[in-house]
Amino acid sequence: QVIDSTSLGWGTRVKGFVACFAIGCLCSILGSCLLWIPKKGLVLFAVFYTLGNISSIGSTMFLMGPMKQLKRMFEPTRLIATIVMLLCLILTLCSAFWWRKAGLALLFCILQFFAMAW
């Protein structure tokens, strides 16, 4: 059904998935490495880790399409995990940019990880 509704071929969609997922993993790892930079490390970590998670989630949209991805994310069995993950994405950036609380940013990143794994 996805093949009929998109102009991208299967090979192109798989390449898009792999590229987007690899960029997401790279951003998450880079963010973890940048955490140790004095003063700006927390902000860089929060931005790169959050962008990495968004990119990794977005990678599956290449395989199943954006609407099906969103419908699956908000199914009743995944609703709580999706809300927690999206909320933690926002709170991670808030704790890094506005509140400047390193402990909170790390806590929200850990919660992002567990919500995505859930």
Side-chain angles (χ1 to χ4, degrees):
Q1 184 179 10
V2 174
I3 293 171
D4 296 335
S5 65
T6 182
S7 61
L8 298 176
W10 177 252
T12 306
R13 285 188 280 125
V14 170
K15 289 175 190 174
F17 165 76
V18 170
C20 204
F21 189 76
I23 289 169
C25 291
L26 181 67
C27 283
S28 295
I29 291 169
L30 182 62
S32 297
C33 294
L34 293 174
L35 178 62
W36 310 111
I37 294 176
K39 296 186 181 181
K40 295 289 183 183
L42 174 63
V43 172
L44 292 172
F45 167 71
V47 169
F48 278 99
Y49 189 80
T50 302
L51 287 176
N53 282 342
I54 291 170
S55 180
S56 295
I57 292 168
S59 67
T60 56
M61 288 187 189
F62 281 100
L63 296 179
M64 66 176 68
M67 291 310 295
K68 188 172 181 181
Q69 170 73 16
L70 290 173
K71 285 178 185 176
R72 285 188 138 181
M73 283 176 64
F74 290 99
E75 286 177 349
T77 56
R78 295 180 178 149
L79 184 62
I80 294 172
T82 299
I83 290 171
V84 168
M85 191 256 326
L86 293 174
L87 187 63
C88 287
L89 286 172
I90 294 166
L91 291 175
T92 299
L93 294 175
C94 288
S95 63
F97 285 116
W98 291 287
W99 305 328
R100 302 258 185 226
K101 302 286 184 183
L104 276 179
L106 291 175
L107 175 68
F108 292 135
C109 286
I110 291 168
L111 291 175
Q112 279 182 50
F113 173 78
F114 284 127
M116 287 181 68
W118 181 10

